[in-house]
């Protein structure tokens, strides 16, 4: 299946390092991140899971639950988690799916046969509370993902969901944001009392609405 932005993220049941889960039950009303890893006991994956564990508080602040996936069985996951905790000085406390039958990988398109017939690529999907797919990124096995960038995208998505704004190139927390195209300038002035800078009729900036 080829998953696209705007699709409903498919539900599934899966074995994980923390027992069997139903994906939708696991997410509840939270935002969700589902991300795939080529294999257990591999170096780049080890650092990625360590970074994710270290950012626990940041994901919690954003009401986001994370769920990793690797195509190895639960017993291997458990041994690997202990290595990750030891080498990355962290505590992995989110589940890792044991997708040894590749059911979830096929459902989400995490196997790219021309890259590898069996291993998953490094994909990451952000899912909104209504289960809509909001972001899909895919990296090669040799490049570890940037989890600070993942947090930045979550911030941008959550601003868009709450305030009718978009975020410009390289935007960082606290910087001005862009008034959404579907808001007229007349409405923007009322909606954003901190001010609207009109550079062009289609390019209008306003201070980040949820910052003092
Ligand atoms: C890694 O996680 O280091 C890795 C996994 C599969 C292929 C290449 C690198």
């Amino acid at each position: 299946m080829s998953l696209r932005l705007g699709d409903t993220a498919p539900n599934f049941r899966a074995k994980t390092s923390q027992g069997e889960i139903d994906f939708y039950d696991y997410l509840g009303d939270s935002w969700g991140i589902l991300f795939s890893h080529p294999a257990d006991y591999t170096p780049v994956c080890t650092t990625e899971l360590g970074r994710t564990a270290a950012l626990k508080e940041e994901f919690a602040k954003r009401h986001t639950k994370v769920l990793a996936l690797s195509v190895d069985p639960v017993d291997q996951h458990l041994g690997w988690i202990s290595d990750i905790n030891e080498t990355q000085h962290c505590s992995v406390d989110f589940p890792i799916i044991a997708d040894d039958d590749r059911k979830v990988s096929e459902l989400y398109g995490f196997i790219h046969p021309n890259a590898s017939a069996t291993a998953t690529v490094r994909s990451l999907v952000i899912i909104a509370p209504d289960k809509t797919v909001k972001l899909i990124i895919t990296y090669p096995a040799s490049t570890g993902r940037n989890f600070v960038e993942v947090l930045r995208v979550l911030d941008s998505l959550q601003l868009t969901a709450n305030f009718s704004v978009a975020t410009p190139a390289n935007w960082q927390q606290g910087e001005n944001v862009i008034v959404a195209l579907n808001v007229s300038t007349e409405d923007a002035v009322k909606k954003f009392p901190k001010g609207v800078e009109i550079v062009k009729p289609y390019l209008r900036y306003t201070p980040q609405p949820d910052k003092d």
Side-chain angles (χ1 to χ4, degrees):
M1 171 182 165
S2 158
L3 197 67
R4 297 185 181 174
L5 301 192
D7 290 353
T8 299
N11 195 22
F12 55 82
R13 291 190 71 79
K15 290 171 287 168
T16 79
S17 53
Q18 297 182 0
E20 182 151 336
I21 63 158
D22 173 283
F23 187 43
Y24 279 14
D25 286 349
Y26 174 70
L27 293 178
D29 295 333
S30 300
W31 288 72
I33 291 183
L34 174 65
F35 59 134
S36 60
H37 298 268
D40 292 4
Y41 296 106
T42 50
V44 177
C45 300
T46 299
T47 61
E48 285 192 320
L49 290 175
R51 285 309 300 154
T52 307
L55 291 169
K56 175 182 174 171
E57 300 300 327
E58 296 299 325
F59 288 113
K61 265 194 241 164
R62 292 162 177 84
H63 311 291
T64 301
K65 290 192 147 182
V66 298
L67 179 58
L69 174 151
S70 173
V71 291
D72 290 312
V74 168
D75 57 334
Q76 283 200 45
H77 282 4
L78 296 178
W80 184 38
I81 287 169
S82 141
D83 279 9
I84 298 167
N85 290 344
E86 177 197 329
T87 62
Q88 307 303 303
H89 314 291
C90 65
S91 173
V92 171
D93 65 358
F94 51 84
I96 305 177
I97 296 173
D99 199 33
D100 39 350
D101 59 4
R102 292 167 174 72
K103 199 180 78 182
V104 180
S105 301
E106 301 282 357
L107 189 62
Y108 274 76
F110 289 162
I111 294 181
H112 293 201
N114 291 329
S116 164
T118 50
T120 44
V121 288
R122 283 182 207 291
S123 285
L124 182 148
V125 182
I126 295 184
I127 298 161
D130 67 358
K131 309 295 181 286
T132 305
V133 173
K134 293 293 186 184
L135 174 85
I136 303 171
I137 56 169
T138 299
Y139 276 41
S142 51
T143 306
R145 286 157 286 196
N146 182 336
F147 288 85
V148 174
E149 169 63 4
V150 172
L151 292 174
R152 194 186 74 93
V153 179
L154 266 175
D155 287 341
S156 172
L157 287 168
Q158 294 182 355
L159 277 172
T160 300
N162 295 330
F163 298 104
S164 307
V165 295
T167 54
N170 293 356
W171 172 83
Q172 298 289 339
Q173 270 291 337
E175 294 178 358
N176 285 352
V177 298
I178 289 174
V179 176
L181 275 176
N182 63 0
V183 179
S184 70
T185 297
E186 192 187 356
D187 287 347
V189 171
K190 291 183 214 145
K191 203 174 167 71
F192 301 109
K194 291 181 192 166
V196 177
E197 180 198 352
I198 305 162
V199 179
K200 290 280 181 193
Y202 60 85
L203 178 58
R204 299 155 304 165
Y205 291 96
T206 190
Q208 186 176 328
D210 62 345
K211 289 276 177 206
D212 295 330

